[in-house]
């Protein structure tokens, strides 16, 4: 075991030295041969672990991502001809199969982008130019969706499982690259929109160059995912984890694929990241591919074993809160709520400073007795329309001093469609009417 | 007992007939003598019960309130010279004492209003006119607060206790009259504001007339409360109930009085309306004033014995909700929330359609891993400022397609000031920017 560790340690040191030399500006072509040699001895599954160690040793994730451009290119050469982990063994609808299939679509679109951009630059015929521009607009429009769908599913649904097992660096490095690609595609779309604001020759030259960069970045990411992320996921995630992922995928959406339902079996319990045992058992270790076993044996991973559910927590279906947290949340809401139950009795109001004062004495009071008698017939009409399903909201707005008070009534129903009661929501909308322009997270100053 | 019942039934019938005759337009002066006779045989405490029975028999609360103007005037004559229940026996800070003291202030201001309005009409000196107008503006301005404070406390804090015991008609009749007075005072204030838009003579004449009406209505209500509502409350409410009322009064506020703290004792548990036993025990009955006993013996009251807290309900301090109701409330909110706990881990997000999709996989995930790596340093800065108490919110806004998305981060603390976590609130503010004018409850159409 010491020998294996030393072997990995040695290879890591070699890789690190090479990456740093590139970072410091050394000639890349000179180093290519050395890279090739070092990489030939490293399994694709070891790369993320080594990346992570490098991050720990002070190299920023951004730098790693930058340097990775070369190492992935080399890596691609290094593994050329070897057997890739692929989607063929996976059942239809399995989230990993969907990811592989999407990557084929992305690769195709990236190549198309490059091809059409180059064709555009050499086309003289005006009608042909217009046609190609139309195709390019469609391709670029589609590629913008890669970030919202394919990358987003990876970041939101799969990353938590590898983070939990201590492999946070894979997630961080990939996310950084994803964001770079999102930004590049966005800029490319902008350039396409502004084509009439510059001479045609300038536009096609710039577009060809940028399209080529985007195309390379996209296919580079496909390669990176197919060879690093997906094998890692395949090696580590259980059927229950994939089942949980499958249950959430539809909410985010897909890139040009439409996966069928997939269920590993009714007896398989969906496992969310906080429910897994992140520590690998001996049995699990032995079932891992040889390369991963080797990589994992080298060092103890920092498993995330924090418990999500605490004693006394309320299970709300989308999280676990203590009563104290729940009260504080209602108090902090920028809206006041009051809830009357199916029997028209006031059952709850949010605490704290409110637009319309509520006191404990209102609890249990029939809503008809909480209004000026003159308003009661209308209150009853609204509730009747809600209960009969004829209306799904009633909204009102009025000026009260400096405030522009907006009041909304919404009927609530359970999953079977039974009327649960009506929620009154009140808020001062005046501040939102004065907002102008944008203020983004990155604009924040301490 | 049958005799007592019959006696009350007889008097009620007499009263009802008289009220109906007035309602039908019969000469009031002719009836005054008959009223006097009937009323002389009825205790002040019986009036609300009879009013209630009349409501049940199909006479509208509004009609009763209208007819009551006369009957209270007569009633005032009838009880003149008899011993009133008063504030003298009550300790300082007792809610009932506060109500009596406020009524003295209201009575004084109502008389002042009338006096100054009449003086204004006869004053020729311009400087004097201006001075009187100043005083009147102040008085009218003050009187507008009667509705927000004195009446509001009665409606919100005391009415639920008598409603619970089945005496809903007192509450409904008084609230109708309160609202009439609120409206009258509001119109009087408007008239005062518009004094320069009409000839002076026209203004003073109209103002004198309206001020006299307001003055009468206000003092009439004082009389009504002192002789009907307060004795009823005094007879029925226990120390625990008054204690609960006292605990909530400050939130609503007072009319020209500033009551000191009052506590019937640490051993007295505050009793909210839903916690009382609304059915009067034999012991309680025997402790009631003789007149109330008599009135109550006549008929069984419709006690409200509905239970507020159901099995499995969560006690949120300001109400009791089932988990199902709680989930439905979060889903219906016009804002999306996500909560990270004190250890920066995502603990809860509101379900339903959201601006920024959240999936279960995010639960337990450190917030730093939920953001593009580029944003993490700023997320950390904001959280640090929150934890150190240097900032109490961070807000952002940006356009996303048709939406104008507003994002607010707020740190939450427990009662001891310990940091509980941070709430992210997101909402689309675009719809609120398009709203114009007012739409009030009474404008609602099915």
């Amino acid at each position: 075991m010491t020998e294996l560790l030393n072997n990995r340690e040695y290879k890591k040191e070699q890789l690190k030295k090479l990456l740093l030399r590139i970072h410091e500006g050394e000639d890349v072509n000179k180093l290519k041969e050395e890279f090739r040699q070092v990489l030939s001895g490293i399994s694709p599954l070891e790369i993320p672990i080594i990346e992570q160690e490098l991050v720990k040793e002070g190299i920023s994730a951004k730098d790693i991502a930058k340097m990775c451009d070369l190492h992935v290119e080399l890596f691609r050469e290094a593994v050329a001809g070897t057997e890739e982990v692929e989607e063929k063994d996976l059942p239809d609808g399995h989230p990993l199969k969907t990811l592989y299939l999407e990557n084929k679509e992305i690769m195709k679109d990236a190549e198309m982008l490059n091809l059409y951009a180059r064709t555009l630059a050499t086309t003289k015929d005006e009608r042909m130019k217009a046609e190609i521009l139309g195709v390019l607009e469609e391709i670029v429009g589609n590629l913008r969706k890669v970030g919202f769908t394919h990358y987003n599913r990876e970041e939101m649904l799969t990353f938590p499982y590898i983070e939990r097992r201590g492999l946070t660096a894979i997630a961080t490095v990939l996310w950084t690259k994803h964001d770079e690609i999102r930004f590049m595609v966005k800029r490319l779309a902008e350039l396409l929109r502004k084509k009439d604001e510059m001479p045609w020759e300038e536009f096609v030259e710039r577009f060809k160059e940028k399209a080529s960069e985007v195309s390379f970045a996209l296919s580079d990411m496909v390669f990176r995912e197919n060879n690093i992320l997906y094998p890692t996921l395949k090696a580590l995630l259980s059927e229950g984890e994939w089942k949980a992922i499958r249950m959430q995928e539809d909410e985010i959406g897909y890139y040009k694929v439409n996966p069928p339902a997939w269920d590993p079996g009714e007896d398989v319990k969906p496992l969310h990241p906080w429910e897994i045992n992140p520590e690998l058992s001996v049995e699990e270790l032995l079932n891992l591919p040889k390369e991963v076993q080797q990589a994992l044996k080298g060092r103890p991973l920092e498993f995330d074993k924090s418990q999500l559910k605490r004693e006394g927590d309320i299970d709300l279906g989308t999280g676990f809160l203590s009563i104290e947290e729940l009260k504080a949340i209602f108090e902090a809401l920028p809206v006041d709520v009051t809830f009357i139950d199916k029997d028209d009795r006031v059952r709850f109001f949010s605490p704290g400073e409110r637009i319309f004062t509520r006191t404990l004495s209102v609890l249990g009071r029939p809503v008809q007795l909480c209004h000026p008698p003159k308003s009661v017939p209308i209150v009853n009409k609204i509730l009747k329309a809600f209960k009969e399903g004829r209306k799904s909201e009633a909204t009102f707005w009025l000026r009260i001093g400096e405030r522009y008070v907006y009041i909304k009534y919404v009927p609530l129903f359970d999953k079977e469609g039974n009327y649960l009661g009506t929620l009154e929501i009140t808020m001062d909308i005046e501040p939102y009417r004065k907002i102008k322009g944008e203020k983004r997270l990155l604009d924040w100053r301490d």
Side-chain angles (χ1 to χ4, degrees), chain A:
Chain A
M1 195 163 135
T2 314
E3 197 190 314
L4 282 172
L5 174 63
N6 288 345
N7 187 25
R8 221 170 59 68
E9 271 305 312
Y10 172 74
K11 285 184 281 184
K12 195 188 84 186
E13 276 312 305
Q14 294 300 102
L15 194 60
K16 194 177 152 190
K17 275 180 199 158
L18 286 168
L19 290 169
L20 285 172
R21 277 162 69 191
I22 292 170
H23 184 54
E24 280 156 25
E26 209 166 319
D27 186 349
V28 175
N29 283 323
K30 253 186 170 172
L31 294 172
K32 247 187 170 175
E33 258 327 291
E34 287 182 62
F35 251 101
R36 207 186 303 277
Q37 254 187 324
V38 173
L39 285 171
S40 71
I42 303 177
S43 137
L45 297 167
E46 268 184 298
I47 297 279
I49 312 215
I50 292 176
E51 277 179 4
Q52 171 156 324
E53 288 178 358
L54 293 174
V55 168
K56 284 221 169 150
E57 282 168 38
I59 301 177
S60 79
K62 205 179 156 193
D63 277 347
I64 296 242
K66 210 195 291 169
M67 293 188 286
C68 282
D69 285 338
L70 178 67
H71 105 235
V72 169
E73 200 183 330
L74 285 160
F75 185 58
R76 194 193 306 226
E77 291 177 24
V79 297
T82 67
E83 194 76 25
E84 273 185 31
V85 180
E86 275 211 24
E87 83 282 2
K88 294 190 180 62
D89 320 329
L90 296 164
D92 287 346
H94 188 293
L96 191 55
K97 178 157 197 170
T98 306
L99 289 171
Y100 274 117
L101 293 176
E102 282 177 312
N103 266 350
K104 286 192 174 176
E105 296 292 335
I106 293 167
M107 188 64 104
K108 213 165 64 192
D109 285 345
E111 279 169 15
M112 294 247 294
L113 172 68
N114 204 11
L115 178 73
Y116 277 92
R118 272 190 274 180
T119 313
L120 186 69
T122 56
T123 299
K124 300 276 176 259
D125 181 71
E126 288 302 319
R127 231 180 63 192
M128 189 67 98
K129 274 186 197 170
E131 211 168 293
I132 295 174
L133 276 173
V135 175
L136 281 167
E137 268 160 17
E138 199 191 319
I139 295 173
V140 174
N142 279 336
L143 287 173
R144 290 213 60 183
K145 292 175 200 148
V146 172
F148 305 134
T149 57
H150 182 75
Y151 295 165
N152 200 16
R153 283 205 333 283
E154 290 171 342
E155 289 155 5
M156 293 302 158
L157 301 182
T158 70
F159 286 5
Y161 289 103
I162 55 177
E163 289 162 7
R164 198 83 183 168
R165 289 178 165 96
L167 297 160
T168 49
I170 305 182
T172 309
V173 169
L174 284 182
W175 201 334
T176 303
K177 295 296 291 179
H178 286 170
D179 268 8
E180 282 172 21
I181 295 172
R182 285 179 171 109
F183 186 78
M184 285 165 79
V185 178
K186 196 180 167 192
R187 287 283 163 278
L188 190 69
E190 280 170 13
L191 181 59
L192 200 54
R193 260 201 312 278
K194 289 181 181 165
K195 61 181 179 299
D196 298 328
E197 295 174 21
M198 60 193 90
W200 175 257
E201 295 308 320
E202 186 189 331
F203 164 69
V204 283
E205 265 318 299
R206 278 175 65 184
F207 188 79
K208 191 179 75 176
E209 191 193 322
K210 296 290 167 201
S212 157
E213 283 172 27
V214 168
S215 175
F216 178 80
L218 281 164
S219 53
D220 182 63
M221 181 53 70
V222 166
F223 180 79
R224 213 181 276 261
E225 291 176 353
N226 284 4
N227 289 287
I228 300 170
L229 177 63
Y230 300 167
T232 306
L233 292 173
K234 193 172 188 192
L236 296 176
L237 267 61
S238 68
E239 290 288 74
E241 293 170 62
W242 288 117
K243 182 171 181 167
I245 290 172
R246 183 70 193 93
M247 289 163 69
Q248 300 167 73
E249 285 185 309
D250 290 354
E251 264 184 73
I252 298 177
Y254 308 92
Y255 187 70
K256 293 193 163 182
V257 301
N258 191 11
W262 169 78
D263 189 340
E266 276 186 28
D267 49 322
V268 177
K269 189 183 162 296
L271 278 176
H272 295 288
W274 72 90
E275 295 171 316
I276 66 168
N277 175 7
E279 208 162 340
L280 298 181
S281 68
V282 177
E283 282 76 15
E284 283 171 324
L285 261 168
L286 293 175
N287 284 333
L288 281 172
K290 212 178 151 230
E291 297 90 338
V292 183
Q293 281 180 29
Q294 196 177 335
L296 290 179
K297 270 181 200 160
R299 45 182 282 282
L301 285 169
E302 282 185 17
F303 308 120
D304 180 354
K305 299 190 80 171
S306 67
Q307 289 294 310
L308 185 63
K309 192 172 178 184
R310 303 154 303 190
E311 212 183 302
D313 264 5
I314 300 160
D315 181 353
L316 285 159
T318 51
F320 302 89
L321 293 173
S322 71
I323 289 186
E324 195 169 36
E325 288 166 340
L326 203 45
K327 286 180 186 175
I329 287 173
F330 273 115
E331 189 158 349
L333 284 180
V335 301
D336 302 336
V337 301
T338 306
F339 175 67
I340 57 164
D341 65 16
K342 62 180 170 53
D343 303 317
D344 300 348
R345 286 177 185 269
V346 180
R347 180 150 282 287
F348 171 71
F349 60 88
S350 53
E353 234 182 88
R354 298 180 48 105
I355 294 174
F356 300 119
T357 308
R358 297 274 180 272
T359 51
L360 288 177
S361 55
V362 83
L363 296 180
R365 199 174 185 190
V367 70
Q368 290 81 2
L369 299 177
C370 304
H371 283 82
K374 201 169 65 169
S375 314
V376 173
I378 295 196
V379 170
N380 283 333
K381 265 191 204 170
I382 293 174
L383 291 176
K384 194 161 179 281
F386 282 174
K387 289 173 188 174
E388 292 172 358
R390 282 182 290 112
K391 295 267 178 188
S392 60
E393 63 169 55
T395 54
F396 305 95
W397 48 91
L398 54 150
R399 295 227 165 256
I400 300 180
E402 296 290 295
R403 288 169 162 162
Y404 204 172
V405 178
Y406 186 81
I407 305 161
K408 184 177 181 180
Y409 297 95
V410 203
L412 308 187
F413 299 91
D414 68 13
K415 281 182 186 161
E416 285 76 41
N418 302 309
Y419 176 76
L420 286 175
T422 286
L423 191 68
E424 178 196 62
I425 301 151
T426 47
M427 60 196 293
D428 178 10
I429 58 172
E430 189 58 25
Y432 307 122
R433 300 164 67 85
K434 291 179 177 155
I435 282 170
K436 285 187 178 68
E438 298 205 330
K439 185 187 165 200
R440 289 168 172 271
L441 187 69
L442 293 172
D443 303 331
W444 195 80
R445 294 290 168 271
D446 201 347

